[in-house]
Amino acid sequence: MTLLLAPLAWPVFHRRSWRFCGEFFLSQWRGIAILAFGPVGLYVASAHLSARQNVGGVPRPLPADGWPVARGSILRTGSDGTPGPRQGGVSWVGRADHAFYSSPAVCGNYVYAVGSRGNASRCFAWDIRTGQEAWSGGPSDFRVTFSSPVLYQGWIYCGEGLHHTPRARVLCLNPSYRDERSVAWQWSTASHVECTPVCADGRVYVAAGDDGVYCFDADPAAPPEQRLRWHVPGDRLSDAETALVVRNDRVYVGLGFGGSAVVMLDADTGRELRRTVLPWPVFTPPAWFADGWLIGMGPGNLLTAAHAGPGEIRCLDPDTLQTRWSRIIPASTLCAPAIRQDEAVVTIADGHVLVLNRQGEVVRQWKSPAPIAASPAVAGDMIYCVDHEGLLTGLDAQRLSPAWQVTLGPAGLYVSGPVVAQGRIVVGTPAGLVCVGSPSTTTSSSGP
């Protein structure tokens, strides 16, 4: 700056130097221009680059892939494949003023979850390591929902609504935008969409309660008039609420009250291939186990399941839907089983956690002091469950005994299944998304 100002000041004090100053400027004008305007140019360029990177108000498009079905895969493990923690307390809480009824989805270092406040919802993303909120999106009139988000080819898919919500929607969200532009496409149904979508082969399949089952083209660039691939109406698929499963060009649908069946559809056309009628409503998403579909059922709903009477676990043949084996359980189960190697982990509404072998025999069991309405998660040598007392319990998988426990909050309706992500646990609660545990698994601890 001194070099820049000195030639300007010299003529003031030395009038005889005008000629010298003129010659100086003529010979050095390029350097003076760089010194004078270079910082301004850098500032403008930096601001322009920042504006391009902050499309929709986020630093960059967040990754959103690899979690295309409820609980992450048809094994329903609720894990990203990293070892589960055995120690640690609450690391962070996201959006404590929101209730999280659905389970999170994970992609890399980011966790996605839908939170509700009053009758309004929004989809959020956090950095698992820090708890910093990285993104939020959804329509301004997004209503409260049980549907969990799934992540597929860079997009977020989620349903809308509770049991009595009319004309709820299926939503495709773009994690590059925060405002209304985050809605890449949406489809209004004639009922609620509590079901978590399933994505496969470029399509999105979702159940819409009393409006049956839909299949959509997942490509956001597809023309709106070509979005719907097929729709099986509710008079043929009554009370289709649970998460679906797609395998070998077939869609498997569980039916609740008024249906009480599992139905196999052709994935390309929606044509019904087979149906097996069952004694109770089916609300558990099927899990792939022992080369068949493991399902749970029972007479209870979310509020009555613990005391409505016995339920049942069945393994169905994937081709015929015939029962391979079945087992009566103390109460209804509303949760997806989690598959760990050659064993299945089942949570029951009365608080039982059962481990079954491939023949359907109970090889280990443990009972929580409070009801359980959330799916378990399995990772490495640990099993995780959450009860209505707000207690997260990490069970040693071999002994099925508590190795670690953390209080998430006061007693309430805990229906979000825990998810193992980057060596931590993330789980929805009535008061925020909670991250607990230490990624280190070298030291174990027992007790609360």
Side-chain angles (χ1 to χ4, degrees):
M1 185 62 69
T2 302
L3 289 175
L4 180 64
L5 295 178
L8 301 178
W10 197 355
V12 176
F13 301 103
H14 302 275
R15 295 183 178 181
R16 296 179 181 179
S17 303
W18 286 104
R19 181 178 178 182
F20 176 82
C21 288
E23 293 176 349
F24 178 86
F25 275 105
L26 287 174
S27 63
Q28 302 295 326
W29 69 270
R30 291 183 179 87
I32 294 173
I34 291 173
L35 287 173
F37 299 106
V40 176
L42 288 174
Y43 174 81
V44 172
S46 175
H48 178 67
L49 179 61
S50 177
R52 289 189 62 184
Q53 291 180 335
N54 283 272
V55 177
V58 294
R60 61 192 178 281
L62 297 182
D65 201 1
W67 200 275
V69 302
R71 311 297 296 156
S73 75
I74 60 174
L75 301 180
R76 313 294 188 185
T77 60
S79 169
D80 65 354
T82 58
R86 300 177 65 100
Q87 61 183 4
V90 174
S91 299
W92 53 264
V93 178
R95 293 283 176 163
D97 58 343
H98 284 62
F100 289 79
Y101 303 118
S102 62
S103 297
V106 175
C107 182
N109 291 320
Y110 294 94
V111 54
Y112 296 81
V114 176
S116 302
R117 184 170 60 178
N119 193 40
S121 289
R122 196 160 180 83
C123 187
F124 302 96
W126 291 267
D127 188 313
I128 298 169
R129 300 161 297 180
T130 64
Q132 181 179 0
E133 186 177 305
W135 172 84
S136 71
S140 58
D141 56 348
F142 191 4
R143 291 170 292 179
V144 60
T145 185
F146 272 126
S147 178
S148 299
V150 294
L151 314 176
Y152 184 65
Q153 297 181 344
W155 307 91
I156 306 165
Y157 298 90
C158 189
E160 176 188 48
L162 302 182
H163 189 72
H164 298 293
T165 304
R167 302 199 64 81
R169 292 168 292 182
V170 181
L171 297 167
C172 173
L173 304 179
N174 183 346
S176 297
Y177 298 96
R178 286 181 181 269
D179 53 24
E180 291 290 328
R181 293 177 298 167
S182 66
V183 182
W185 61 263
Q186 58 185 309
W187 192 279
S188 182
T189 75
S191 187
H192 58 277
V193 188
E194 293 182 353
C195 168
T196 295
V198 54
C199 302
D201 302 320
R203 298 174 184 172
V204 180
Y205 302 85
V206 64
D210 293 329
D211 196 22
V213 173
Y214 286 83
C215 173
F216 301 101
D217 189 327
D219 184 4
E225 64 274 11
Q226 298 177 18
R227 175 76 54 210
L228 179 64
R229 301 296 294 265
W230 51 259
H231 172 219
V232 181
D235 58 359
R236 291 163 53 191
L237 297 173
S238 178
D239 200 24
E241 297 189 33
T242 189
L244 313 175
V245 70
V246 179
R247 188 174 187 273
N248 291 340
D249 297 321
R250 298 166 179 171
V251 182
Y252 297 85
V253 185
L255 303 182
F257 294 106
S260 299
V262 171
V263 181
M264 180 199 304
L265 305 176
D266 182 277
D268 290 330
T269 65
R271 180 173 61 91
E272 183 172 322
L273 303 176
R274 293 190 183 277
R275 177 185 297 243
T276 182
V277 177
L278 298 166
W280 289 295
V282 179
F283 293 116
T284 61
W288 185 252
F289 179 60
D291 298 322
W293 293 118
L294 188 64
I295 62 166
M297 50 189 140
N301 58 32
L302 189 62
L303 301 179
T304 67
H307 310 290
E312 187 177 347
I313 298 291
R314 288 201 190 195
C315 185
L316 302 179
D317 184 278
D319 297 319
T320 66
L321 295 186
Q322 294 300 306
T323 299
R324 290 181 173 171
W325 53 258
S326 66
R327 175 163 295 277
I328 300 299
I329 53 178
S332 299
T333 177
L334 307 174
C335 315
I339 309 307
R340 179 182 176 272
Q341 300 171 0
D342 288 333
E343 297 179 333
V345 180
V346 178
T347 50
I348 304 175
D350 70 345
H352 274 96
V353 178
L354 306 180
V355 176
L356 285 71
N357 62 18
R358 293 172 64 92
Q359 291 74 43
E361 301 166 332
V362 177
V363 294
R364 294 184 295 283
Q365 61 179 300
W366 175 80
K367 192 174 188 299
S368 168
I372 297 177
S375 298
V378 298
D381 60 354
M382 294 292 288
I383 297 170
Y384 304 94
C385 59
V386 176
D387 65 29
H388 283 345
E389 287 297 321
L391 187 67
L392 169 72
T393 299
L395 299 165
D396 182 282
Q398 296 300 324
R399 298 191 299 268
L400 206 65
S401 59
W404 170 58
Q405 291 182 316
V406 177
T407 298
L408 303 174
L413 189 63
Y414 288 79
V415 293
S416 171
V419 166
V420 179
Q422 301 296 306
R424 302 166 173 86
I425 300 289
V426 284
V427 58
T429 77
L433 187 85
V434 180
C435 177
V436 300
S438 167
S440 172
T441 60
T442 57
T443 304
S444 63
S445 59
S446 60

